[in-house]
Amino acid sequence: MTHVIVERDLDPALSAEQVFELAEQAGGCYELYQIDWLLSFLAQNGDTMVCQFKAPDTETARTALRQTNSEVRAVWPATVHFGPTPDLAPNIMVERTFEQAVTLESIQAIEDASAQCLKIRDVTFIKTYFSVDQKRMLCLYKAPDAEAVRSAQDEALMPFDRVWSCQTLRPPHK
């Protein structure tokens, strides 16, 4: 099974309750395609969502999403990498896109060198989703707010596209 990341822009914005309703409606389709919804990160304003699935492969996940009429921005296979405190609930998502493939180690080295930037702002790294093609990365943090993470990223010269506040949504059966 492959970890598959699904990125969605939501218009209109959705509440957590609406996400759970949609997931319930899609449940039979997910079961048919052997897709397992692990968790989602919904932006505080409800306009963006990132979901993590386990699926036989990325194309199977795309097919299941098409069957449920889900509009997606991106679907990609990922590896998952945990920080030292994986049990903390993340509340900030950082999106990174790279023109050329990068190694996880090269990005980790930048973050390690700037660990003080995170510590000063009470920012804790939780988890990273790293695309198999090594050009996309989503990082989750626990922090007082998105601005604390944005400032730490800027000071550390870490590349990022967007930083946003989120809530974690887990399927009821997980």
Side-chain angles (χ1 to χ4, degrees):
M1 295 293 266
T2 301
H3 286 278
V4 176
I5 302 304
V6 175
E7 298 180 63
R8 297 181 66 185
D9 295 319
L10 305 169
D11 186 17
L14 296 178
S15 67
E17 293 76 26
Q18 290 170 310
V19 171
F20 287 120
E21 288 172 16
L22 291 173
E24 187 174 322
Q25 293 169 9
C29 188
Y30 289 170
E31 190 173 309
L32 176 67
Y33 286 95
Q34 300 177 345
I35 308 293
D36 188 18
W37 174 39
L38 300 178
L39 56 105
S40 293
F41 304 97
L42 180 64
Q44 289 298 340
N45 65 6
D47 73 347
T48 302
M49 185 166 60
V50 170
C51 302
Q52 177 188 0
F53 293 91
K54 273 216 156 174
D57 54 60
T58 307
E59 194 52 43
T60 300
R62 278 191 190 96
T63 300
L65 290 162
R66 276 193 299 270
Q67 295 296 319
T68 62
N69 295 319
S70 298
E71 292 187 30
V72 299
R73 176 177 8 128
V75 179
W76 44 275
T79 55
V80 183
H81 307 272
F82 294 93
T85 53
D87 294 335
L88 280 179
N91 65 334
I92 307 295
M93 173 75 72
V94 175
E95 298 182 33
R96 305 180 202 284
T97 305
F98 309 101
E99 298 242 349
Q100 302 293 320
V102 298
T103 64
L104 182 64
E105 294 76 20
S106 66
I107 299 300
Q108 188 63 53
I110 296 169
E111 185 145 310
D112 289 348
S114 60
Q116 193 63 24
C117 298
L118 297 174
K119 187 174 183 178
I120 288 169
R121 291 171 180 82
D122 196 27
V123 174
T124 303
F125 167 70
I126 307 297
K127 176 182 359 184
T128 291
Y129 297 108
F130 190 44
S131 67
V132 172
D133 72 1
Q134 299 179 310
K135 293 183 177 183
R136 184 80 169 137
M137 180 182 281
L138 302 174
C139 300
L140 290 152
Y141 296 87
K142 177 72 173 175
D145 53 43
E147 188 53 39
V149 176
R150 193 175 293 109
S151 294
Q153 300 294 299
D154 278 337
E155 189 173 322
L157 302 176
M158 288 288 288
F160 66 89
D161 303 324
R162 294 191 322 163
V163 178
W164 44 277
S165 299
C166 63
Q167 60 180 308
T168 303
L169 306 179
R170 296 182 184 280
H173 63 279
K174 299 270 180 218

